[in-house]
Amino acid sequence: MSAIKTALKAAKGALDAHQYDKAVDNATKVLKEDPRNYHAHVFLGLAFEKQSRNEESEKAYLAATAVKANDPLAWQGLISLYEQQGSRKLDSYHDAAFRLAQLFMEVDDKTRCQTVVDKYTDYARKCGSREQYKHSLEILLPGSELYNYLEGRIPHPSHTYTKLSELVEQDEKEKINYEIGQRRTRLGAKIDQVTMDVRREVLQNSNLETLYQHVIDWTDDEETRRLYEEKLLQHAYDTLIALPGPQKASKCEEVTRLAKGLVILKHPFALAWKIRLEWQDAERMEELDAGLLREYVEHFPDDGLGKVLRGYLESEISVVPKRAPSEEAKDNERAETPTMTAEDRLLLMTDGLEDSSSSVLAHRIMGEYYLYLDEYDNAAETARKGRRQVAVESRMSGLPLRNILDAVDLVLGTALVQYQAPRYHPEARCLFEDILDRKPSNISALVGIGLILEEQEEYEKAIEFLERALKQAPSTRIKAEAAWCRALTGDYATACSELEECLPHVQAPDPHTKTLKAKILYRIGMCMWNMDDSRSSRKDRTRAYARFIWSLQADVNFAPAYTSLGIYYDDYAKDKNRARKCFQKAFELSSSEVVAAERLAQSFAKTSEWDLVEIVAQRVIESGKLRPPPGSKKKGISWPFAALGVVQLNNQDYPKSIVSFQSALRISPRDYYSWVGLGESYQSSGRYIAATKAFEQAQKLEQELGPEVLADTWFSKYALANVKRELGEYDAAIAAYKEVLASRRTEYGVSIAALQTLIEAAWNDLELGYFGRAIESVQEALKTAQDIVTWRDDAFNLWKAVGDLCSVYTYVQSYIEEFPVQDVQSLLKYDFDLGDYKLLADFDEVDWAAFDSSSSGDSAESRLGCCSFAAILAHKRAISCCAHDPHARAVAWYNLGWAEHRAHVCQNNGEPESRQPLKYLKASVQCFKRAIELESGNSEFWNSLGIVTSQLNPRVAQHSFVRSLYLNDKSARTWTNLGVFYLTEGDIQLANDSFTRAQSVDPDHAQAWLGQGLLAAQLGETGEARTLFTHAFEIASASAAQIQRSYASSTFDHLLSSPSNSTDIASLLQPLLALRQLSKMSLTDLPYDHICSLLLERIGDRINASQKLSAICSVLETDYEKSESSETLARFSQAKADLSRSLLAKRDFGGAAENAETALDLSADDDQSGTTKNKTRLSAHLSAGLAHFYQGSMDRSIEMFKGALKETQGDPDIVCLLAQVLWAKGGDQERSIARDQLFDSIEKHPGHVATTLLLGVIAVLEDDRDTIEAVSDDLQQLRSRDDLRLRQHKQLAQLLNAIATLDSDNEIRASEQMSEAATAVMLGPSLPYGWSQLASLTDDPHPAEIAVLTASKKAPPGGDLSAEDLSEAYAGTQKGGDAQKSIILAPWKSFGWEALARL
């Protein structure tokens, strides 16, 4: 025992000496001896604590407490240990501190007990979490063991509960924010739903309301109690909002109880008062507590609902009784409030509604007040918002609020009945019927349905509902409405009597009663008006008229009375001014006065006051009275939309006019004028297909129209014709114009439109190449112009059209003989001073005398000049017709300028530029200058000036083009003209840039591609030029002469350089078409006529070719006789040579020989030399030689061929021709000479196919074996060459086959023929000749079928196999179908016929 004490003393000493290890050892020794030694455990715990061995120290202290639980020393050690570890051991600290405080309480040591508690709570506040701090405060609350002992020494419970509530508030707020932040980032999360879910989770599990209640129960401070009562109500209200529907009932009762308590205490907490007011499901405003309403206004004068209630309590619709004077006197402290005016009251209530946008009561009151003020639009809008707020409030509170919703629905339905009636009648009827299902005797709903039925013209049903309402509550207003419905059924007498019975009950001075009186008087007047519709009765001022006047005396702003008075003045009193004033007043007062609006719009339209028409129509549309509700018998009103469409059409606002007319047609699908207006709108906006359908629909309705409308139906035909004209359907347009003119001959607009359409059709036909149709159109246009001039000769468009029709002839000069000179002459001098035609005569020398002189000539050139003069004079007369219109005058000068330019082009056709007279060109310059003076901003005028000055003044031309592009840089024509200008001036780069820009602006502008082609040709790029000319020709119109010239000449040059294409008919068709069109457009275009004849010759059209060449020779002969030019002589000799060749092909051998010899004589006299001359002479020699040969003049033929040999210096082809002629002559000497010529030629030109073939043929004919053997080797070598044509392959095969048949032995001959055929097939398996030869030697049908197959592949476009060869291949199959094909392919050959005969 002494050892234990010694060790304890040693441990104690070691602790004092800070020797903690020694203290641990000594304490451990003691515990080994006595494990329940209290002090040893305490010393050990303290030593471990000093060594920061916290866990071991805690175990030691706890072991000590287990030994002596009531000794405070160990507990104090534990507290000291826990304080060193911060918040980590705060929960254990709580238990230790509580136990230590209990020990001090047991020994009645209040001071030390309080110290422990204060120290612990303060430490928890500083170091612990908020939850730990709340836990520490719990020992201070009533119910704790320490509270009763330390009461008075620790904080009051209200203070502690306050702290706890604040801590819980912070926790909940942070938790809500944290959870929302976490959940809102989830996929598909919606912030509103996330917020509601989080608040529901937190508020459902909150104990804040309990804490608030404890604060309220314990606190002695009234302000604090009221504050926490507010917090309690707010938290309960927030919880109610967050709770799901099934759980709201009990919570709603609690919230209502709390709010009621605060209201009873008259505590000014707005939420409590609003809950008390808003959640009272009152069917009528009378059911609300009047005192509660007044107190709310007193407590919350600046609140939105307070403002609304204040205005309501002082308004005419208030059901709350006014305060008695004695009650007002008792309230001495209340400030005197001045009485508000109606305007101030409305302003106050409006501001209040804006401030209380979530208040159901505010919306309900304001809706009723707006109804009282007849502001139905505001009432409807307010009621709609109120319905939404009722739904929100019901959802939040869980209360049905059915009566409130019904009250708001009644306000909404009543407003919708009147607002823009009958637009919203279906909606209003649904609302009323829903209320009547639950409340069958609801007066407002019954009256509302009655008014809707009245608007729908179901008067009997309307009377039934109104009488049901009368049974519930007799009312003068309802009785008057029922009487009016009876009047609308036609029972005017009874209705008039009932209405007069109502008059004594409407004598009150208030505005609403006055309005009702005015309405009753007006309706009595309408009954009288309709009871007797005779003119005398209606003019009687003591009947209906007097009632209308009395109605206005009762209410000067009653609009229907003004409308009826306007009808009276307009139809019976014949006072248009008063009528108009009445209609204006009626429409000003009410946009629902549709009759007054229609009469106003008609009067404004008659005076072309379109702005006023638009205002009237737009206001009627906005009134909502146009479209009847679904199921209504009442017809819609379409005229406001139609009137608005007319105004928009007049203002060129076509998209809007389309919408307006479509709206009119939705209401009245059979409105003729709306269809016409819609078609015109579509037409003006460029939607021609839609316009066509609209006009066609209008014409379908014509049979339903009355006689007064039928007189105007011509316009739809005229408009449809205009649409057809825009679509390019000129024939249909012209036919429609003629139909209109048949009944309205002097309708200027239609006549001019028909004339212009004929001219446009002519130009269109000209572009398409239908030149004959173009001439027919202008001839008909001339007849139309002759008709117009008899009653309207001063029209600019007339003379422009006359000038254009004359110009058409200058573009189709092949029809110039058909130009009606006399008709045009009589037209131009009709009622006009011929001296005025001297305009610009100083420049162009064109006046009436010049025209009269030119009209006497019969030649084509004279007719062409006459035509040009007529066009110029017509445009001059057009200028005199538009002296007072600057724009038209500018256009007239512009047109005259182009007429002058066209005269310049036509009069100088084919002349060299240096010899061209410039008088027309100079006159054209003057015209374009005057046009620019009148309208300098027109880019086309500047472009035209640039064109005509390019030859006269390049600087002015360049400036003009640049100015035109400045005004319009998107003009492909101007860029092209500028490119041509640069090209003529030699600036290649700028020309290329200009043409490229033109192509980028408009890729389909053919002239730009032509210019690019000319540029390429100038640079020597013939292939590129030909490609560009071809593309330009493909996209150009048929009247583009220069494009046709360039395309034809480049294609012909290419054919000359490519012999393989020179006989390809497909490649000749397009250039031939271009040249034929060109020949119709120009009288004298000899070079291109010559090319055309050569192309005709190549396609086998020998007749037309010889005719053209004969005409060319005649023109050239005449020209040579005048000029004696060597160039003309060369062209004449060339034409003669070509003519002889063409005649030779026609088998006119005499003419061919004659023309060939003429060509030789002419070319012999020509001093020029060169390739062209040599070719001409060679052609003439060959043609003459062949012609003489076929005529039997062998000597003369041989002479010509010798001349050809001399010209060509022994050309082998000529040698072949000469040899054939010599051989044909038949003499031994001639044949010997032919043979020698061929041998000489083959020595000079080895491998020449024709020479070798001729030698082989001669050898076979003479049975010359040696020659045959020598020639056979050459023939075998020739057949393997790749450059042979199909015809040469055939000739080789035939010759070799003939050589094979020379053997007398039949077997050897047959074997050699078979071998030869097999060799031909092997060397040319894709050629038909070997297969045909093989088929003729065997009975196997396969070779013949292969021959047909290979021949089909070699036929065009796969090759150049002739029709005869293909026909022969089909004939070899020995089939009936193939024989027929052979006949179809070449009926002039015997293959097919023989094959068919053998079957």
Side-chain angles (χ1 to χ4, degrees):
M1 192 68 175
S2 60
I4 292 174
K5 291 183 178 180
T6 303
L8 286 173
K9 288 182 179 180
K12 178 74 169 61
L15 287 171
D16 293 339
H18 304 294
Q19 297 176 353
Y20 303 117
D21 292 337
K22 187 176 180 180
V24 170
D25 293 339
N26 289 322
T28 304
K29 287 179 182 179
V30 173
L31 291 173
K32 287 181 180 179
E33 294 294 333
D34 184 5
R36 292 185 60 79
N37 190 294
Y38 176 77
H39 291 287
H41 282 294
V42 172
F43 290 158
L44 183 60
L46 181 58
F48 281 145
E49 180 185 350
K50 297 300 183 180
Q51 290 180 331
S52 299
R53 295 165 65 179
N54 296 332
E55 292 182 2
E56 294 175 358
S57 175
E58 183 180 9
K59 291 179 180 178
Y61 282 136
L62 290 174
T65 59
V67 175
K68 290 184 178 181
N70 296 327
D71 192 308
L73 183 61
W75 294 107
Q76 289 174 339
L78 275 173
I79 289 174
S80 176
L81 175 65
Y82 291 149
E83 285 179 347
Q84 296 177 15
Q85 297 183 52
S87 61
R88 189 167 65 87
K89 287 293 184 177
L90 194 57
D91 294 336
S92 298
Y93 187 0
H94 174 84
D95 297 336
F98 186 75
R99 179 57 184 159
L100 181 60
Q102 283 180 323
L103 293 177
F104 289 141
M105 182 181 67
E106 290 174 359
V107 298
D108 196 21
D109 189 349
K110 291 184 177 181
T111 302
R112 295 178 70 184
C113 179
Q114 179 186 352
T115 301
V116 170
V117 171
D118 290 345
K119 185 178 180 182
Y120 163 62
T121 55
D122 187 58
Y123 183 80
R125 180 180 60 80
K126 292 179 180 179
C127 299
S129 64
R130 190 176 293 123
E131 193 63 35
Q132 290 170 333
Y133 181 48
K134 290 191 294 182
H135 188 46
S136 70
L137 292 177
E138 290 176 359
I139 63 176
L140 305 178
L141 295 175
S144 170
E145 294 182 19
L146 300 177
Y147 174 75
N148 293 330
Y149 179 69
L150 295 176
E151 186 176 5
R153 288 179 171 268
I154 59 177
H156 191 271
S158 62
H159 179 71
T160 306
Y161 280 123
T162 300
K163 281 188 176 181
L164 280 172
S165 64
E166 291 173 353
L167 293 173
V168 173
E169 285 175 357
Q170 294 177 11
D171 282 344
E172 289 186 358
K173 183 178 180 181
E174 290 177 0
K175 185 176 182 179
I176 289 172
N177 292 337
Y178 174 77
E179 289 296 330
I180 290 174
Q182 290 293 314
R183 298 185 190 184
R184 67 183 298 180
T185 59
R186 295 176 183 174
L187 192 63
K190 297 181 180 179
I191 184 61
D192 294 339
Q193 188 61 41
V194 167
T195 303
M196 182 60 69
D197 292 342
V198 171
R199 288 179 63 84
R200 182 185 302 116
E201 293 173 8
V202 173
L203 295 176
Q204 267 185 313
N205 301 316
S206 173
N207 64 339
L208 256 181
E209 294 180 25
T210 304
L211 293 174
Y212 290 153
Q213 190 61 52
H214 285 310
V215 174
I216 295 168
D217 293 342
W218 283 98
T219 185
D220 295 328
D221 183 46
E222 285 297 323
E223 291 185 3
T224 303
R225 181 177 290 109
R226 298 294 171 260
L227 174 62
Y228 277 86
E229 285 176 346
E230 292 178 3
K231 287 188 175 185
L232 176 59
L233 176 58
Q234 186 67 57
H235 191 276
Y237 180 75
D238 293 340
T239 306
L240 174 64
I241 293 173
L243 287 174
Q247 302 176 19
K248 287 182 180 288
S250 59
K251 198 66 179 179
C252 181
E253 292 179 1
E254 180 185 347
V255 171
T256 305
R257 177 180 55 80
L258 293 172
K260 185 176 180 180
L262 286 173
V263 171
I264 291 173
L265 295 173
K266 299 186 179 181
H267 178 62
F269 182 48
L271 178 61
W273 290 82
K274 287 181 179 179
I275 290 173
R276 190 75 180 90
L277 290 173
E278 303 278 1
W279 289 8
Q280 188 173 350
D281 192 16
E283 184 176 357
R284 297 183 301 276
M285 289 296 294
E286 293 92 328
E287 298 176 12
L288 296 176
D289 187 346
L292 194 61
L293 297 178
R294 291 194 183 96
E295 289 173 356
Y296 188 92
V297 174
E298 292 173 1
H299 286 304
F300 310 103
D302 297 326
D303 179 71
L305 180 57
K307 294 178 180 179
V308 174
L309 287 175
R310 181 186 169 192
Y312 169 72
L313 292 174
E314 298 184 12
S315 69
E316 301 86 345
I317 66 170
S318 174
V319 296
V320 178
K322 304 293 182 182
R323 287 195 178 194
S326 58
E327 292 180 0
E328 294 185 0
K330 292 178 182 178
D331 193 4
N332 296 324
E333 296 181 359
R334 188 171 63 87
E336 291 291 336
T337 304
T339 303
M340 289 186 294
T341 62
E343 291 79 7
D344 293 339
R345 184 186 308 118
L346 179 60
L347 182 61
L348 176 68
M349 296 175 73
T350 304
D351 292 341
L353 183 62
E354 291 178 0
D355 295 339
S356 57
S357 58
S358 61
S359 172
V360 173
L361 182 59
H363 284 89
R364 178 178 178 179
I365 293 172
M366 284 302 298
E368 293 183 358
Y369 192 58
Y370 281 134
L371 281 182
Y372 173 76
L373 298 177
D374 294 337
E375 295 186 15
Y376 301 112
D377 53 344
N378 290 330
E381 181 182 359
T382 305
R384 289 188 191 279
K385 293 179 180 178
R387 292 188 90 243
R388 291 194 290 269
Q389 291 306 319
V390 171
V392 171
E393 198 69 36
S394 179
R395 185 173 61 253
M396 291 192 306
S397 66
L399 298 172
L401 303 179
R402 186 70 257 180
N403 290 329
I404 296 177
L405 181 59
D406 287 346
V408 175
D409 283 346
L410 286 173
V411 172
L412 177 59
T414 305
L416 293 180
V417 169
Q418 303 295 335
Y419 177 55
Q420 293 190 352
R423 178 185 293 182
Y424 301 108
H425 281 187
E427 181 183 356
R429 186 166 184 174
C430 289
L431 294 173
F432 291 141
E433 288 176 347
D434 180 57
I435 294 172
L436 288 175
D437 288 342
R438 289 175 280 101
K439 302 173 182 178
S441 60
N442 188 285
I443 297 174
S444 298
L446 290 170
V447 172
I449 292 182
L451 294 175
I452 292 172
L453 292 171
E454 176 186 334
E455 182 67 27
Q456 294 178 358
E457 299 182 357
E458 297 183 16
Y459 304 119
E460 298 294 342
K461 293 182 179 180
I463 293 171
E464 178 185 345
F465 276 90
L466 292 172
E467 288 180 347
R468 284 173 58 187
L470 275 173
K471 291 178 182 178
Q472 299 297 326
S475 168
T476 303
R477 188 181 301 274
I478 300 174
K479 182 177 181 180
E481 202 65 45
W484 178 241
C485 289
R486 189 165 283 108
L488 294 175
T489 62
D491 189 359
Y492 297 111
T494 305
C496 185
S497 176
E498 292 178 356
L499 288 170
E500 288 178 346
E501 291 176 3
C502 296
L503 280 178
H505 304 287
V506 287
Q507 303 302 324
D510 62 282
H512 279 72
T513 304
K514 287 183 177 181
T515 302
L516 179 58
K517 181 179 180 181
K519 182 183 292 187
I520 293 173
L521 287 168
Y522 161 74
R523 290 178 173 178
I524 291 172
M526 289 303 298
C527 289
M528 292 180 176
W529 182 273
N530 292 313
M531 275 191 294
D532 186 358
D533 59 357
S534 63
R535 187 173 185 81
S536 59
S537 175
R538 290 187 173 181
K539 288 183 68 175
D540 187 353
R541 290 180 174 249
T542 62
R543 290 175 56 79
Y545 174 81
R547 270 63 180 182
F548 297 147
I549 297 296
W550 295 344
S551 174
L552 292 177
Q553 290 174 351
D555 184 359
V556 72
N557 293 323
F558 189 66
Y562 284 107
T563 301
S564 298
L565 280 176
I567 295 173
Y568 171 83
Y569 286 126
D570 196 16
D571 296 345
Y572 297 98
K574 301 302 180 183
D575 191 340
K576 300 295 183 182
N577 290 332
R578 283 191 176 182
R580 184 165 181 172
K581 290 178 182 179
C582 288
F583 290 138
Q584 286 179 334
K585 185 64 175 178
F587 191 61
E588 287 173 5
L589 292 172
S590 174
S591 60
S592 299
E593 292 301 309
V594 180
V595 175
E598 184 175 10
R599 299 236 182 179
L600 268 181
Q602 290 173 351
S603 65
F604 291 145
K606 290 177 182 177
T607 57
S608 298
E609 298 176 77
W610 298 112
D611 293 342
L612 297 178
V613 174
E614 181 180 12
I615 292 172
V616 171
Q618 191 64 49
R619 191 174 175 208
V620 175
I621 291 171
E622 293 172 356
S623 70
K625 285 188 168 292
L626 303 184
R627 293 185 176 91
S632 174
K633 297 179 181 178
K634 190 173 183 179
K635 294 183 179 179
I637 302 172
S638 62
W639 71 261
F641 287 108
L644 188 60
V646 171
V647 173
Q648 292 162 344
L649 187 61
N650 189 61
N651 294 335
Q652 299 182 359
D653 194 350
Y654 305 121
K656 289 184 179 179
S657 69
I658 290 172
V659 174
S660 297
F661 285 121
Q662 286 176 338
S663 300
L665 289 169
R666 289 191 189 100
I667 298 173
S668 301
R670 310 193 71 77
D671 183 1
Y672 172 79
Y673 290 111
S674 293
W675 280 111
V676 173
L678 180 62
E680 194 171 356
S681 300
Y682 278 134
Q683 176 190 357
S684 300
S685 60
R687 299 168 62 179
Y688 301 117
I689 301 300
T692 301
K693 294 179 179 178
F695 286 129
E696 289 175 349
Q697 182 63 32
Q699 291 180 357
K700 290 179 182 178
L701 298 174
E702 289 180 0
Q703 57 186 358
E704 303 176 9
L705 302 176
E708 69 281 356
V709 180
L710 282 174
D712 297 331
T713 56
W714 67 269
F715 182 78
S716 65
K717 297 183 179 66
Y718 167 65
L720 182 59
N722 289 337
V723 174
K724 297 292 186 182
R725 172 184 173 185
E726 295 292 343
L727 290 172
E729 300 177 15
Y730 297 110
D731 293 340
I734 293 168
Y737 288 134
K738 288 181 178 178
E739 183 180 356
V740 176
L741 290 173
S743 58
R744 304 179 70 88
R745 174 179 170 271
T746 59
E747 190 67 46
Y748 171 71
V750 182
S751 299
I752 285 295
L755 176 61
Q756 291 174 334
T757 304
L758 287 166
I759 299 299
E760 289 175 12
W763 287 117
N764 182 67
D765 291 335
L766 196 63
E767 291 181 357
L768 296 176
Y770 302 138
F771 301 133
R773 286 178 54 181
I775 295 301
E776 291 176 359
S777 295
V778 297
Q779 288 174 349
E780 188 173 354
L782 180 60
K783 295 178 183 178
T784 305
Q786 288 174 324
D787 179 63
I788 296 174
V789 77
T790 58
W791 48 271
R792 183 72 180 273
D793 62 346
D794 58 346
F796 161 74
N797 289 330
L798 168 64
W799 298 109
K800 177 188 179 300
V802 172
D804 289 342
L805 70 87
C806 294
S807 297
V808 170
Y809 282 95
T810 67
Y811 285 93
V812 194
Q813 296 178 9
S814 59
Y815 292 88
I816 199 68
E817 297 293 338
E818 299 181 16
F819 180 65
V821 177
Q822 300 301 324
D823 292 340
V824 174
Q825 192 174 29
S826 62
L827 182 65
L828 288 174
K829 68 179 181 180
Y830 183 86
D831 194 20
F832 190 69
D833 185 2
L834 301 181
D836 290 344
Y837 282 131
K838 293 185 178 181
L839 183 69
L840 289 182
D842 295 340
F843 290 93
D844 59 9
E845 300 177 2
V846 177
D847 54 12
W848 183 258
F851 172 66
D852 192 37
S853 174
S854 65
S855 62
S856 60
D858 294 331
S859 65
E861 290 77 7
S862 299
R863 285 293 180 95
L864 181 60
C866 178
C867 189
S868 299
F869 288 175
I872 293 173
L873 293 181
H875 287 300
K876 287 183 178 181
R877 185 161 181 178
I879 293 175
S880 66
C881 293
C882 56
H884 302 293
D885 187 348
H887 174 70
R889 194 170 180 82
V891 173
W893 279 110
Y894 172 76
N895 295 334
L896 178 59
W898 279 117
E900 298 278 5
H901 182 265
R902 185 61 189 167
H904 169 76
V905 172
C906 292
Q907 293 298 317
N908 301 293
N909 191 18
E911 293 288 339
E913 186 175 331
S914 58
R915 292 169 52 187
Q916 293 179 359
L918 302 177
K919 58 181 180 179
Y920 301 116
L921 201 61
K922 292 178 180 178
S924 180
V925 171
Q926 296 300 317
C927 293
F928 290 132
K929 283 183 177 180
R930 295 194 184 184
I932 291 172
E933 289 174 1
L934 292 169
E935 194 173 328
S936 60
N938 193 310
S939 62
E940 291 298 325
F941 294 176
W942 286 101
N943 175 50
S944 303
L945 181 63
I947 292 172
V948 299
T949 55
S950 296
Q951 183 178 348
L952 300 174
N953 193 330
R955 290 186 178 181
V956 173
Q958 184 181 21
H959 169 75
S960 300
F961 288 134
V962 172
R963 181 65 180 173
S964 177
L965 290 172
Y966 171 78
L967 296 171
N968 180 18
D969 62 348
K970 301 297 182 182
S971 174
R973 286 188 297 176
T974 308
W975 281 111
T976 302
N977 294 333
L978 182 61
V980 173
F981 171 78
Y982 286 136
L983 185 61
T984 56
E985 295 298 318
D987 195 329
I988 304 299
Q989 183 60 45
L990 287 177
N992 182 63
D993 293 344
S994 299
F995 290 136
T996 303
R997 182 65 182 273
Q999 293 164 1
S1000 65
V1001 171
D1002 184 4
D1004 293 331
H1005 188 59
Q1007 280 71 18
W1009 297 96
L1010 171 65
Q1012 202 84 43
L1014 294 173
L1015 184 61
Q1018 186 169 334
L1019 296 175
E1021 300 175 0
T1022 56
E1024 179 69 15
R1026 186 178 67 259
T1027 302
L1028 292 168
F1029 290 146
T1030 303
H1031 180 66
F1033 175 74
E1034 289 172 349
I1035 63 176
S1037 64
S1039 59
Q1042 185 56 48
I1043 293 177
Q1044 293 170 338
R1045 292 188 183 100
S1046 300
Y1047 169 68
S1049 60
S1050 65
T1051 305
F1052 187 74
D1053 292 342
H1054 176 63
L1055 293 175
L1056 294 180
S1057 63
S1058 179
S1060 60
N1061 294 327
S1062 62
T1063 57
D1064 183 9
I1065 295 179
S1067 63
L1068 301 177
L1069 292 179
Q1070 278 196 324
L1072 186 59
L1073 173 64
L1075 290 168
R1076 283 193 167 183
Q1077 289 177 337
L1078 186 63
S1079 66
K1080 289 182 177 295
M1081 289 188 289
S1082 177
L1083 287 174
T1084 55
D1085 212 345
L1086 293 182
Y1088 297 96
D1089 286 342
H1090 199 160
I1091 294 175
C1092 181
S1093 67
L1094 296 178
L1095 293 178
L1096 288 170
E1097 181 184 3
R1098 286 173 183 264
I1099 67 171
D1101 190 355
R1102 304 178 183 94
I1103 297 176
N1104 286 325
S1106 59
Q1107 290 176 353
K1108 272 191 171 295
L1109 287 168
S1110 297
I1112 292 171
C1113 289
S1114 300
V1115 173
L1116 289 173
E1117 184 176 8
T1118 304
D1119 190 24
Y1120 179 69
E1121 290 175 354
K1122 294 179 180 178
S1123 63
E1124 296 185 357
S1125 166
S1126 59
E1127 180 181 353
T1128 305
L1129 180 62
R1131 291 169 60 190
F1132 183 37
S1133 63
Q1134 184 179 5
K1136 280 290 185 180
D1138 292 338
L1139 176 60
S1140 69
R1141 187 175 61 251
S1142 179
L1143 292 173
L1144 178 65
K1146 281 179 59 181
R1147 308 188 69 82
D1148 183 1
F1149 305 123
E1154 180 183 354
N1155 282 283
E1157 290 175 356
T1158 302
L1160 290 172
D1161 294 340
L1162 292 173
S1163 58
D1165 297 337
D1166 187 3
D1167 297 334
Q1168 297 181 358
S1169 61
T1171 305
T1172 302
K1173 178 180 178 180
N1174 294 337
K1175 288 182 178 180
T1176 300
R1177 292 186 61 79
L1178 174 61
S1179 176
H1181 275 112
L1182 292 176
S1183 298
L1186 290 173
H1188 286 303
F1189 170 76
Y1190 285 113
Q1191 284 181 318
S1193 303
M1194 298 300 179
D1195 296 336
R1196 187 64 178 159
S1197 175
I1198 292 170
E1199 181 182 349
M1200 289 297 172
F1201 282 124
K1202 287 182 179 179
L1205 278 176
K1206 183 178 179 182
E1207 293 286 347
T1208 60
Q1209 299 179 353
D1211 185 273
D1213 291 324
I1214 307 299
V1215 171
C1216 290
L1217 288 173
L1218 178 60
Q1220 291 179 52
V1221 174
L1222 289 169
W1223 188 270
K1225 188 174 182 181
D1228 294 337
Q1229 183 179 0
E1230 286 80 3
R1231 293 187 176 184
S1232 177
I1233 294 172
R1235 191 182 300 107
D1236 294 340
Q1237 288 286 343
L1238 290 173
F1239 277 118
D1240 291 341
S1241 177
I1242 201 68
E1243 288 179 3
K1244 296 178 182 178
H1245 305 282
H1248 188 259
V1249 178
T1251 305
T1252 307
L1253 285 171
L1254 275 178
L1255 284 173
V1257 170
I1258 291 173
V1260 169
L1261 291 174
E1262 294 184 340
D1263 197 17
D1264 187 350
R1265 298 288 178 171
D1266 294 335
T1267 304
I1268 288 173
E1269 184 177 354
V1271 170
S1272 295
D1273 295 336
D1274 293 338
L1275 292 174
Q1276 293 294 343
Q1277 292 177 4
L1278 286 177
R1279 74 192 307 180
S1280 62
R1281 282 170 52 175
D1282 296 332
D1283 58 343
L1284 294 182
R1285 296 192 292 273
L1286 287 176
R1287 192 166 198 78
Q1288 292 173 331
H1289 275 292
K1290 181 179 180 180
Q1291 292 171 346
L1292 282 172
Q1294 290 174 339
L1295 180 58
L1296 288 171
N1297 185 51
I1299 293 173
T1301 61
L1302 293 177
D1303 199 295
S1304 59
D1305 189 338
N1306 292 335
E1307 293 183 2
I1308 296 175
R1309 184 167 64 248
S1311 174
E1312 289 183 356
Q1313 284 181 315
M1314 184 66 71
S1315 174
E1316 185 58 38
T1319 303
V1321 169
M1322 182 187 67
L1323 293 176
S1326 62
L1327 299 176
Y1329 309 117
W1331 294 104
S1332 296
Q1333 185 178 347
L1334 187 62
S1336 65
L1337 298 174
T1338 64
D1339 295 332
D1340 187 356
H1342 181 68
E1345 294 174 356
I1346 298 299
V1348 171
L1349 180 63
T1350 54
S1352 300
K1353 291 183 178 179
K1354 288 295 182 180
D1360 56 353
L1361 188 75
S1362 66
E1364 292 91 341
D1365 291 339
L1366 183 59
S1367 173
E1368 185 178 2
Y1370 273 109
T1373 63
Q1374 302 300 320
K1375 295 180 181 179
D1378 289 343
Q1380 291 175 340
K1381 292 179 181 178
S1382 175
I1383 293 172
I1384 292 173
L1385 286 168
W1388 60 90
K1389 291 292 184 180
S1390 62
F1391 313 126
W1393 299 105
E1394 292 173 354
L1396 190 62
R1398 287 194 297 268
L1399 295 175

